[in-house]
Every structure is written in structure tokens, then in C-alpha cells.
């Protein structure tokens, strides 16, 4: 908001309700609250899926690092890294580059 407060919600309407509660206003007053969405945000879960190729110069497929290192041979990860994180890397790799990002996952 204009005072620099941050309200995190799934959508603008929910953020306005949280702001109204913060300022002690009723739910009916939340439409009068003006919020600004940060335009410099890349969701962590989404951006992690881009990591295997975005760090190599993608979307420019002609970058030397991209041509040399993508796709990689393997990804070594821990059990604490969620399956969905690795799956997102694979799905985005296939969708955005046409190639699976790693042959083997340990």
C-alpha cells in the first residue's frame, strides 16, 4: 500500500480484506483501499523450474553455455527436495526447450 505495508494473499480481493483488517476497517470498506502489486516478482516454485536452463543463457539457444551444458547428464538431489520441484524442472524444460533437462536423477 502507500504506507509500504505488504499484504500477501491469493488475489487482490483477499489482499484488500487483509488490508482492511490491518487498518481496522470493515469488510465493506475494503474496496476503497488502494494496493499496488509488486511487478518484480517471480514465484520461487516457478523460477526453480527454470533453473536448469535459465542460468545458461536461455532463451537464447545459441549461447555457448546453453549449447554445451544443456541438457545435463544428471541431477543429484536430496530427499528433502520435493518431487514436485524436480518434476517442475523436467516439465518446464521439455515445454520451453523441447529437451528433458537431465538423463538421470539421484
Amino acid at each position: 500500500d502507500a504506507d509500504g505495508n505488504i499484504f500477501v494473499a491469493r488475489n487482490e480481493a483477499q489482499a484488500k480484506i487483509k488490508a482492511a483488517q490491518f487498518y481496522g476497517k470493515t469488510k465493506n470498506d475494503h474496496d476503497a483501499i488502494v494496493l499496488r502489486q509488486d511487478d518484480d516478482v517471480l514465484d520461487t516454485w516457478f523460477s526453480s523450474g527454470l533453473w536448469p536452463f535459465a542460468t545458461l543463457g536461455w532463451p537464447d539457444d545459441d549461447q555457448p553455455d546453453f549449447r554445451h551444458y544443456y541438457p545435463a547428464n544428471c541431477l543429484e538431489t536430496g530427499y528433502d527436495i520435493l518431487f514436485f520441484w524436480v518434476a517442475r524442472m523436467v516439465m518446464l524444460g521439455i515445454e520451453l526447450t523441447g529437451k528433458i533437462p537431465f538423463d538421470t536423477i539421484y
Side-chain angles (χ1 to χ4, degrees), residues 3-102:
D3 297 330
N5 296 302
I6 298 171
F7 303 98
V8 179
R10 290 190 177 270
N11 56 46
E12 184 179 11
Q14 289 178 359
K16 285 186 174 188
I17 291 170
K18 286 184 176 188
Q21 291 170 344
F22 177 81
Y23 288 113
K25 297 185 178 202
T26 66
K27 285 185 178 181
N28 296 334
D29 293 335
H30 76 271
D31 285 333
I33 294 174
V34 177
L35 298 178
R36 181 186 62 84
Q37 183 173 350
D38 191 342
D39 57 359
D40 188 24
V41 175
L42 184 59
D43 177 79
T44 301
W45 283 105
F46 178 77
S47 63
S48 66
L50 301 174
W51 179 83
F53 49 91
T55 57
L56 301 173
W58 178 87
D60 184 357
D61 296 353
D62 291 327
Q63 287 290 326
D65 284 347
F66 183 84
R67 285 188 280 123
H68 183 75
Y69 295 109
Y70 191 83
N73 293 330
C74 80
L75 170 69
E76 185 174 343
T77 185
Y79 69 90
D80 55 334
I81 300 298
L82 299 176
F83 163 80
F84 295 108
W85 193 339
V86 175
R88 186 170 281 112
M89 289 184 207
V90 172
M91 290 184 286
L92 282 171
I94 293 169
E95 178 68 23
L96 299 175
T97 71
K99 299 175 185 172
I100 194 163
F102 347 89

